[in-house]
Amino acid sequence: MSDRIEPALFAPAAFDAAAAERGGYESYSYWRSTFRTFMKSRLAVTLLLAMTALVAFSFAYPALSGADPNAVALDTERWNLRPGSGSGPFGTDGLGRDMWARTWHGARTSLLLGFVIALFDVGLGMIAGAIWGYARRIDRFMTELYNVVTNIPQTVVLILLSYILRPGFWTIVIALCSTGWLSIARFVRNKVITIRDAEYNIASRCLGTPPGRIIGRNVLPYLVSVIIMEAALTIPYSIGAEVFLGFIGLGLPLDTVSLGNLVNLGKANFMLYPYQLAWPTSILAAITVSFYIVGNKFADASDPRNHV
Amino acid sequence: MKRATLVAATLAMVGLTAMAGCGAARKSADRYATTYFTEAKTLNYFLLLDSTAQRVAANTQDGLVENDRFGRYVPSLAESWTHNDDYTVWTFTLRQGAAWVDSAGQRTAWEVTADDFVEGLRYVADPANGIKNVSTIRKVIAGLNGYYYDLLDIDEGKDIGMTREAAEENFRTVGVAAPDPRTVVYTLTKPTPYFLSYLVTELFFPLERAFLDQVGAQDFGTSRERLIYSGAYYLADWQRDKQIVMEKNPLYWDAASVPVKTVSMQKVTDPAVSVEMFIRGELSATGLQADQVKALAGTPQAEFVYPAEISSVTYWFIQNFSSDNPEFRAFVNNPDFRKALYYGIDRVKLLSLYDPYNPAGLLRNTVVPEETVVDENGRDYTDYPGLAELKAAGDYFDTDKARSYFAKAVAALTDGAGAIKGVSPATVDMKPVAEFAVDGKLPLQMLYVHSNDANDTKMALLLQAMLEEVFQGQVKLVLGQYVDDKFNDVVEPRRFDLVYDSFRFGFGDPSAQLSRLVTDGGINDGRYSDPEFDALIQEAEGENLLSERYALFSRAERLFIDRVYVIPFQVGGGAYTMSKAVPFTYPRGGFGTTRFKYKGMIVEREPVTKARYEKLKAEFLSEMESATKR
Amino acid sequence: MLRYMLKRFAQSILTVALVVLAVFMLLRLMPTSGYFSREDYVTMDEAARTAYLRTLGVLDDPFTQFGRFASALAGGDLGRSITVYPRTPITEILAEKIPYSLWFGVAGISVSMALGLLLGVMMARYKDGPTDWLGTAYVVVVRAVPSLIYLFLIQTAASRLLGLPMIFYADDVSSWILPAASMALPGLAWYAIWLRRFMVDEENKDYIKFAVAKGVPRGKVMTGHVLRNAIVPLVQYFPTQVLLTITGSLIIESIYSIPGMGGLLVYAIRQHDNTLVQALVLIYSALVVAGVFLGDVLMALVDPRIKLSSAPVEREAA
């Protein structure tokens, strides 16, 4: 009860701005924590490796091997060869084309499609969302636009646009991005508003932290993680959409090798030559599943609440 | 999770017991069950837009004449007919007491009378009703063309000096009349010995005016209740995109010739499903693609597969004589190059994509189909001299001939060093189908346009590889695609060098195709011009004795093919079938609607085997020989 | 409250009108040549084609056509189909087709809700256990692999293994199983994964930790507090899902030959059937708007903390 504080034990400290900041920020690095949390999940790491390998191979194989996925065999004996029977590891299709080469060329096309769509969706969505979040004047207009666009069923837009424009790579990109960017913009806008007006940021502002620092240290990390996640999840979605458009006859031209075309062609002969569907499908599933899980795990890891 | 598994297991068990209950039923000899792929858009039998509607119309409505099982024209609602000497006035005597029935198979207040045929044509002739096929007969029936255009002009707001009512009054002047309830008289614009072949089309079906007025022109044929029936069946059920059920008409004038009581058609989207359903006993008949035939090899079903009937539709390659591609334009106007293409396209290999077993069976070497047009002596048009040799040539693919013709063309068209005379480098703009640069030198670049359908794409790639090999790298096929409609996207805007197209055969005379192929003809899509051919056709059109007429037409056709204005490619239809219906017991024919009747068809409990089919076919061919020879 | 509802209603009408107008004008970008086939060009001359187009009423300027459409609509008339089912009143087509999509949709939702919520609860309850792991694997496959692939495999493989019919027959109950099960698959995954997520979130909240610390039995905490609160955000989507069942499933209806609404829009667009497209877009967007509104009302009903006010409720799940 009678422990008395001895003033002699204390020395007054002078205010040191640099040290104050070090105490505030240095012990916690957002990116290091995100990385550490992500690496803790063995599944995520395995899939990340698998994903990287798949993507790398999809781009490396067509570039390096020189095998032509559209090389037609004039000899009908070379048509519909089963895997291993004197053909490539995945066999040949109804025109004697090498399924191995086709699968990887297809994977490259589909991945490229996914990347481009992700780039546009996220890029446009982020810029529009940030402006939307900061500029209150356009909020009303953007909200109305968002309401109208999201009220049109997705398939209507997809079908209408693919129909009016000529089926092709950029048509699919436009069709998918025309609605995709808005939902990302909306998401970013909400995040920007909540983070900007969060109490710790108001406090930070009151303490005189410059806006650039708030954006760089407090707002951006949240958004970057969201962006990476959205990008990762857009890829399986775009690949799926391409398959769907192929099903209703509005996909990529059939002499373009893509996973969607391979699936739809393989489906027609499934009873007779199941491998023509099975192999492209397995590669497709491996790509979409790994992107999906890695994207989700990254989202979890990037949530600061999971960093403790 | 345990509970979830339990639920799943229960669901599965419910499924198993339920399925044990069914599956056994659904077969009987007086029922014919089949599938269809395109939905009947409307039941209005004057507006037939698809093969399903055509099938329904054929079986639920009768015309004046119909096809029998040999393809001859036999009496239907008309008992007998006569024509004048120059084949311009045809008089039909109707059967007495043919009733109109409703969608419950009940007798209505009306009988089929001569007026119904006049009203039918009046309905077809009114542009406001939007009957697209009317153009087939507009210039055949006297006065019809003028009547049609008068109404059209009035509808477009042009002042032609009379009201619509007055113009409609003028239908009296059109060449169809009902002097009494049992007599119909058609007056034609020019001698037409083959007029009966028009009568098997839906355009000459009867229409009960009182019923039309009752339901209203807008609603006519939009549901099975808004229609009455004069055919062997009435429509007992129609669920869009699901099923069509036709029941035998108890009041039909020829009920004794209709063994099948119920025709049930199920809609499916995937041909494989149809085959599977047949194997499970749910269907009486199914078509098969070659791949499906392959899949059945070694199963008990394999012995039931036999070739399906081929159709009178002909596919041919069209070359663009006025192409924007200067390289191709130079070559295609050289007859030797066209010959080179004629011999250089390995059609059998292309067709092995569709039928790996017997691709040559799908070839057709003539423009006018065989077994469709027969003269007064029972001789087939394609057996006339000139065409008979073409038909017998079968697969005429010949690499050496192709190469030597090509060498001649190259010698004539290039400077010897590979540069094509008079052609300078250019960019060929055929957007959106294709855009490519040509350098005015060999190899020759030509644009082949195909649809975005899987088989079409495969064929294009195969053709590309084939021509590359046959012409030793001197012909490079550039591939272009269209999405929707070949004519709108490709042929009409001239965005092709080479494309194939298919043409329906409209009525029973070679002119149905050949008269449309002359300079500026309706299907002269290559835009070639050959006065010699035009003159021959004109001469043939003026000849009324069929054997003379056909001799002239066949000479013209031979010249046309020798000069390779088109390259005949393949027949329509084909592929394979499995069926419980006995082949050759039902009508056949090369055109029109009544050939789709199920009248006379005998359906058995077990599928017809291939051996039995072969036997029946041999018997049928000899029967037909004696039936058609007079 | 009433004022808010009225305002909301007016806004919805405006939104739907804008959507329909936008699609209407988009459709006018397509060339009229689509109304004709090859044979038509052979047999019909320019005048005949123009006459045909006039009978279809597509030659007037777009705003006149829209006005005609709107005024007919005011009288409850959706018009007649042009090319898909020529001259047939659209209401008749819808009356025929909606029941199929609706029943399969409702069956699918019931199964997916029942099983999905159950799976979600089990996954949350035994978090990180084999159930959770298997459930997650299922969800990942369903959400990541294009549905066409697994639906097609179900049709071919399951119908053979279980001996079920390959297509739908109205009079054969066993033929309903595969399409209904296929309908349920994506929804099941959706319910399971979000319920699990919300329950896990809820479990980490202080009041739950306090309840557990206080000694409330775990089962009671889970059902009484965690599940009840976790289900609230899901409820919001329920009306939209039920209402949108009438749009049908394109792939499932197509592979099982179910004559529902699924393919109708695609056919209508591909065949330039403008009146039909307009009618469908109108209905679909009206349903979405109504669904969102009903969802908000339902939220307010199940969660007393939420009040309907002028501020729209933020949506969380997607």
Side-chain angles (χ1 to χ4, degrees):
Chain A
M1 299 297 128
S2 63
D3 288 348
R4 302 188 60 193
I5 295 167
E6 287 290 332
L9 291 172
F10 296 89
F15 177 71
D16 179 347
E21 228 156 76
R22 222 177 302 127
Y25 297 103
E26 245 182 10
S27 63
Y28 172 74
S29 155
Y30 174 78
W31 286 106
R32 206 179 302 140
S33 303
T34 301
F35 184 70
R36 205 174 34 215
T37 318
F38 184 84
M39 285 316 228
K40 259 193 266 173
S41 164
R42 224 178 312 154
L43 176 72
V45 174
T46 319
L47 280 171
L48 181 65
L49 289 177
M51 186 181 103
T52 317
L54 277 170
V55 172
F57 193 73
S58 302
F59 283 91
Y61 176 81
L64 298 180
S65 80
D68 180 1
N70 267 327
V72 170
L74 280 176
D75 176 8
T76 50
E77 297 292 310
R78 301 278 312 159
W79 295 0
N80 293 317
L81 288 178
R82 273 162 218 291
S85 52
S87 56
F90 286 1
T92 61
D93 77 350
L95 272 178
R97 292 173 291 187
D98 181 12
M99 286 302 290
W100 173 256
R102 288 176 72 69
T103 303
W104 293 109
H105 274 87
R108 183 180 64 168
T109 312
S110 295
L111 279 170
L112 209 57
L113 187 76
F115 287 145
V116 172
I117 290 170
L119 190 74
F120 276 98
D121 258 8
V122 173
L124 263 177
M126 205 176 87
I127 297 166
I131 299 173
W132 188 359
Y134 272 99
R136 283 164 205 267
R137 238 178 309 163
I138 62 160
D139 189 56
R140 186 64 200 256
F141 169 78
M142 290 295 282
T143 310
E144 209 47 53
L145 182 71
Y146 175 82
N147 282 343
V148 171
V149 170
T150 46
N151 271 320
I152 309 178
Q154 254 280 272
T155 34
V156 178
V157 181
L158 216 57
I159 296 163
L160 258 179
L161 281 177
S162 328
Y163 194 81
I164 293 171
L165 309 168
R166 207 175 117 73
F169 188 89
W170 291 104
T171 303
I172 295 188
V173 171
I174 293 170
L176 289 179
C177 290
S178 63
T179 54
W181 72 276
L182 249 179
S183 44
I184 292 183
R186 166 86 169 184
F187 194 83
V188 170
R189 171 236 181 213
N190 289 348
K191 274 273 185 234
V192 167
I193 290 178
T194 27
I195 299 170
R196 191 194 56 190
D197 296 343
E199 276 153 4
Y200 67 91
N201 274 329
I202 297 174
S204 193
R205 244 196 325 262
C206 292
L207 286 174
T209 317
R213 165 154 259 160
I214 294 183
I215 291 171
R217 292 271 172 152
N218 295 355
V219 181
L220 215 58
Y222 272 101
L223 292 183
V224 169
S225 67
V226 164
I227 287 154
I228 294 182
M229 183 191 80
E230 286 290 338
L233 295 184
T234 303
I235 284 154
Y237 171 71
S238 332
I239 293 177
E242 196 241 324
V243 175
F244 173 77
L245 283 174
F247 176 72
I248 57 173
L250 296 171
L252 291 169
L254 281 167
D255 54 0
T256 308
V257 188
S258 76
L259 287 179
N261 280 343
L262 290 179
V263 167
N264 281 301
L265 287 174
K267 204 169 74 66
N269 286 329
F270 178 68
M271 302 281 191
L272 207 50
Y273 311 109
Y275 64 90
Q276 289 177 5
L277 177 65
W279 285 113
T281 306
S282 323
I283 301 298
L284 185 151
I287 292 174
T288 51
V289 166
S290 58
F291 267 96
Y292 185 85
I293 295 183
V294 169
N296 270 310
K297 288 282 173 194
F298 182 80
D300 289 348
S302 67
D303 186 345
R305 279 178 296 179
N306 291 338
H307 285 184
V308 193
Chain B
M1 195 63 202
K2 253 184 217 153
R3 249 186 294 171
T5 336
L6 196 72
V7 176
T10 323
L11 265 179
M13 265 173 38
V14 170
L16 282 173
T17 36
M19 93 104 217
C22 70
R26 287 203 198 102
K27 55 177 172 185
S28 134
D30 58 6
R31 183 186 155 86
Y32 180 74
T34 185
T35 52
Y36 64 99
F37 296 98
T38 44
E39 182 55 50
K41 289 165 169 292
T42 167
L43 299 175
N44 182 341
Y45 50 86
F46 292 116
L47 188 60
L48 296 183
L49 302 169
D50 51 89
S51 57
T52 309
Q54 212 169 14
R55 206 161 276 278
V56 172
N59 284 290
T60 55
Q61 303 295 343
D62 264 7
L64 290 167
V65 302
E66 64 190 32
N67 296 104
D68 72 354
R69 66 193 200 97
F70 302 114
R72 297 176 301 187
Y73 308 116
V74 294
S76 186
L77 286 173
E79 253 172 3
S80 62
W81 54 84
T82 57
H83 57 79
N84 64 354
D85 285 342
D86 70 351
Y87 301 95
T88 51
V89 178
W90 292 68
T91 307
F92 294 84
T93 307
L94 295 191
R95 203 170 288 287
Q96 199 131 34
W100 286 103
V101 300
D102 65 13
S103 60
Q106 301 298 310
R107 186 185 291 278
T108 62
W110 305 291
E111 278 191 359
V112 183
T113 59
D115 269 340
D116 297 351
F117 290 92
V118 178
E119 290 305 328
L121 205 58
R122 186 198 298 275
Y123 182 85
V124 168
D126 190 337
N129 291 324
I131 304 303
K132 290 178 169 185
N133 286 345
V134 65
S135 323
T136 319
I137 57 161
R138 233 170 40 210
K139 289 176 181 152
V140 175
I141 307 286
L144 189 61
N145 202 40
Y147 175 77
Y148 178 86
Y149 275 104
D150 282 350
L151 292 187
L152 198 62
D153 287 345
I154 292 169
D155 289 351
E156 280 183 2
K158 277 188 209 153
D159 182 15
I160 58 160
M162 57 179 151
T163 61
R164 197 173 211 278
E165 286 69 30
E168 281 174 13
E169 270 303 299
N170 283 343
F171 191 72
R172 281 179 292 108
T173 63
V174 173
V176 59
D180 68 70
R182 287 189 60 200
T183 309
V184 189
V185 182
Y186 291 99
T187 311
L188 313 181
T189 49
K190 58 171 192 222
T192 312
Y194 48 88
F195 181 59
L196 289 181
S197 73
Y198 286 111
L199 296 183
V200 295
T201 66
E202 71 282 0
L203 298 167
F204 288 90
F205 282 179
L207 171 67
E208 178 53 62
R209 180 61 181 265
F211 180 77
L212 178 72
D213 292 342
Q214 189 180 310
V215 292
Q218 273 283 313
D219 279 332
F220 180 70
T222 56
S223 76
R224 65 191 183 90
E225 291 85 5
R226 295 184 193 128
L227 208 57
I228 49 176
Y229 308 90
S230 59
Y233 295 89
Y234 62 92
L235 201 57
D237 192 17
W238 181 42
Q239 290 174 42
R240 284 188 186 84
D241 294 311
K242 186 62 203 166
Q243 68 168 0
I244 296 168
V245 179
M246 295 185 283
E247 292 286 353
K248 184 173 169 180
N249 173 359
L251 302 171
Y252 189 54
W253 61 269
D254 195 12
S257 321
V258 184
V260 173
K261 291 205 171 59
T262 307
V263 175
S264 138
M265 298 161 75
Q266 293 281 335
K267 166 139 185 209
V268 294
T269 41
D270 184 353
V273 170
S274 182
V275 175
E276 186 71 25
M277 286 169 69
F278 181 86
I279 293 170
R280 293 182 189 183
E282 297 167 17
L283 293 182
S284 316
T286 180
L288 295 96
Q289 296 304 311
D291 277 347
Q292 294 160 335
V293 177
K294 221 173 194 176
L296 288 182
T299 68
Q301 276 75 34
E303 60 161 326
F304 300 135
V305 179
Y306 60 85
E309 286 275 311
I310 57 174
S311 86
S312 63
V313 170
T314 306
Y315 290 71
W316 58 65
F317 289 103
I318 304 163
Q319 306 150 97
N320 185 354
F321 285 71
S322 63
S323 173
D324 284 342
N325 171 3
E327 290 190 358
F328 185 74
R329 195 171 57 235
F331 270 85
V332 75
N333 284 294
N334 176 303
D336 286 323
F337 172 71
R338 300 202 299 270
K339 280 273 190 202
L341 267 190
Y342 183 80
Y343 288 111
I345 296 177
D346 186 349
R347 299 176 301 160
V348 171
K349 187 159 281 171
L350 295 179
L351 289 171
S352 53
L353 284 173
Y354 299 90
D355 185 348
Y357 294 113
N358 181 23
L362 296 175
L363 289 176
R364 181 170 282 148
N365 293 350
T366 52
V367 166
V368 174
E370 63 288 341
E371 288 179 33
T372 307
V373 181
V374 182
D375 71 11
E376 73 276 11
N377 306 314
R379 186 184 198 184
D380 193 292
Y381 167 79
T382 56
D383 288 334
Y384 272 70
L387 296 182
E389 301 90 77
L390 274 186
K391 204 163 76 162
D395 176 20
Y396 49 70
F397 168 69
D398 188 331
T399 310
D400 295 336
K401 269 192 191 167
R403 283 179 186 165
S404 75
Y405 275 116
F406 187 68
K408 271 197 233 169
V410 167
L413 296 170
T414 65
D415 63 359
I420 306 164
K421 284 184 227 163
V423 176
S424 42
T427 302
V428 181
D429 175 8
M430 297 203 191
K431 280 184 288 197
V433 170
E435 186 180 26
F436 56 99
V438 292
D439 56 4
K441 298 193 186 85
L442 289 178
L444 161 70
Q445 291 194 75
M446 54 192 268
L447 174 67
Y448 176 74
V449 186
H450 61 95
S451 77
N452 62 351
D453 161 83
N455 272 328
D456 250 16
T457 307
K458 277 189 188 172
M459 202 177 97
L461 290 164
L462 188 58
L463 185 66
Q464 187 181 42
M466 177 187 296
L467 292 185
E468 172 112 29
E469 187 187 88
V470 168
F471 296 111
Q472 294 156 309
Q474 294 303 300
V475 174
K476 292 251 188 264
L477 215 56
V478 178
L479 300 185
Q481 287 193 323
Y482 67 91
V483 184
D484 212 18
D485 187 76
K486 195 176 285 182
F487 188 77
N488 291 323
D489 300 344
V490 180
V491 176
E492 167 63 18
R494 323 297 300 154
R495 293 185 196 123
F496 69 100
D497 289 332
L498 188 70
V499 70
Y500 81 81
D501 211 344
S502 64
F503 295 91
R504 195 163 62 91
F505 196 71
F507 52 91
D509 188 74
S511 65
Q513 230 61 311
L514 296 177
S515 295
R516 306 195 287 174
L517 283 166
V518 296
T519 306
D520 297 327
I523 55 174
N524 178 349
D525 292 331
R527 307 252 171 109
Y528 48 79
S529 172
D530 189 322
E532 207 178 328
F533 173 68
D534 296 352
L536 270 173
I537 293 294
Q538 203 178 3
E539 194 187 343
E541 283 170 347
E543 177 60 58
N544 285 338
L545 181 64
L546 290 183
S547 48
E548 291 293 322
R549 187 181 172 93
Y550 294 173
L552 288 167
F553 270 122
S554 59
R555 258 177 61 204
E557 183 174 340
R558 178 61 194 263
L559 175 128
F560 181 75
I561 292 174
D562 279 347
R563 296 183 181 171
V564 201
Y565 291 114
V566 303
I567 302 173
F569 173 31
Q570 70 161 117
V571 300
Y576 296 86
T577 185
M578 291 194 282
S579 178
K580 294 176 185 169
V582 183
F584 311 112
T585 55
Y586 38 86
R588 63 191 266 136
F591 43 82
T593 299
T594 65
R595 60 186 161 142
F596 295 114
K597 282 176 190 277
Y598 292 123
K599 188 174 171 177
M601 184 168 72
I602 297 167
V603 178
E604 297 181 334
R605 287 181 182 277
E606 294 305 318
V608 174
T609 61
K610 183 166 198 254
R612 174 134 176 262
Y613 165 79
E614 299 291 358
K615 192 166 149 277
L616 287 170
K617 187 177 178 184
E619 283 170 17
F620 174 77
L621 288 178
S622 71
E623 266 183 86
M624 182 149 103
E625 186 92 32
S626 52
T628 49
K629 282 254 152 52
R630 265 173 252 156
Chain C
M1 181 75 182
L2 187 70
R3 241 191 90 186
Y4 167 71
M5 298 256 267
L6 280 175
K7 197 177 151 201
R8 186 80 192 262
F9 183 72
Q11 241 172 9
S12 307
I13 300 270
L14 185 73
T15 308
V16 172
L18 281 174
V19 169
V20 174
L21 186 66
V23 172
F24 195 93
M25 295 304 152
L26 267 183
L27 281 172
R28 295 309 180 283
L29 292 176
M30 301 202 213
T32 50
S33 57
Y35 291 107
F36 301 99
S37 69
R38 172 71 185 100
E39 281 292 328
D40 293 340
Y41 270 97
V42 173
T43 52
M44 300 169 91
D45 51 26
E46 185 68 38
R49 290 200 299 269
T50 313
Y52 180 71
L53 289 176
R54 177 159 297 113
T55 63
L56 300 183
V58 294
L59 288 184
D60 307 317
D61 79 285
F63 291 97
T64 315
Q65 291 184 52
F66 189 75
R68 207 162 47 214
F69 167 69
S71 66
L73 187 68
D77 181 10
L78 283 175
R80 285 168 190 262
S81 163
I82 298 175
T83 48
V84 175
Y85 303 107
R87 299 170 197 181
T88 311
I90 289 171
T91 40
E92 266 177 45
I93 301 171
L94 297 182
E96 241 178 73
K97 289 182 165 293
I98 286 179
Y100 289 104
S101 295
L102 191 62
W103 288 123
F104 273 105
V106 168
I109 287 195
S110 315
V111 174
S112 62
M113 263 225 314
L115 296 184
L117 293 181
L118 188 70
L119 182 61
V121 171
M122 303 303 272
M123 282 164 72
R125 176 81 180 74
Y126 304 106
K127 189 167 173 273
D128 299 327
T131 313
D132 191 21
W133 202 88
L134 276 176
T136 309
Y138 162 74
V139 170
V140 165
V141 168
V142 166
R143 300 199 73 171
V145 177
S147 59
L148 176 63
I149 293 172
Y150 62 79
L151 291 176
F152 173 72
L153 289 178
I154 288 173
Q155 190 200 17
T156 42
S159 78
R160 188 169 296 179
L161 287 177
L162 303 174
L164 293 171
M166 286 189 80
I167 67 166
F168 159 81
Y169 296 99
D171 56 357
D172 181 352
V173 183
S174 68
S175 72
W176 307 354
I177 296 173
L178 287 182
S182 305
M183 289 292 250
L185 284 179
L188 204 161
W190 189 86
Y191 279 112
I193 201 66
W194 283 110
L195 188 65
R196 176 190 177 277
R197 160 87 61 99
F198 290 141
M199 281 182 75
V200 170
D201 283 356
E202 205 65 29
E203 266 184 296
N204 286 333
K205 290 201 173 151
D206 292 342
Y207 79 100
I208 297 291
K209 287 183 180 155
F210 177 69
V212 173
K214 206 171 67 174
V216 180
R218 175 121 204 223
K220 204 170 165 195
V221 173
M222 284 304 254
T223 49
H225 300 290
V226 177
L227 182 61
R228 248 201 95 168
N229 280 309
I231 218 160
V232 170
L234 290 181
V235 156
Q236 192 185 6
Y237 300 96
F238 184 66
T240 313
Q241 281 171 341
V242 173
L243 288 176
L244 280 188
T245 54
I246 77 159
T247 62
S249 156
L250 199 152
I251 296 175
I252 294 173
E253 288 182 3
S254 155
I255 62 181
Y256 289 103
S257 295
I258 298 170
M261 300 281 290
L264 198 55
L265 185 63
V266 180
Y267 299 145
I269 291 176
R270 300 201 75 167
Q271 296 178 29
H272 299 237
D273 196 334
N274 293 347
T275 46
L276 190 53
V277 176
Q278 279 144 223
L280 291 176
V281 169
L282 171 76
I283 293 170
Y284 292 175
S285 50
L287 286 176
V288 175
V289 170
V292 171
F293 176 68
L294 288 177
D296 291 348
V297 172
L298 209 59
M299 282 271 275
L301 288 179
V302 291
D303 190 341
R305 287 170 304 176
I306 298 173
K307 286 205 174 61
L308 280 179
S309 68
S310 56
V313 186
E314 281 299 330
R315 288 193 261 169
E316 237 186 285

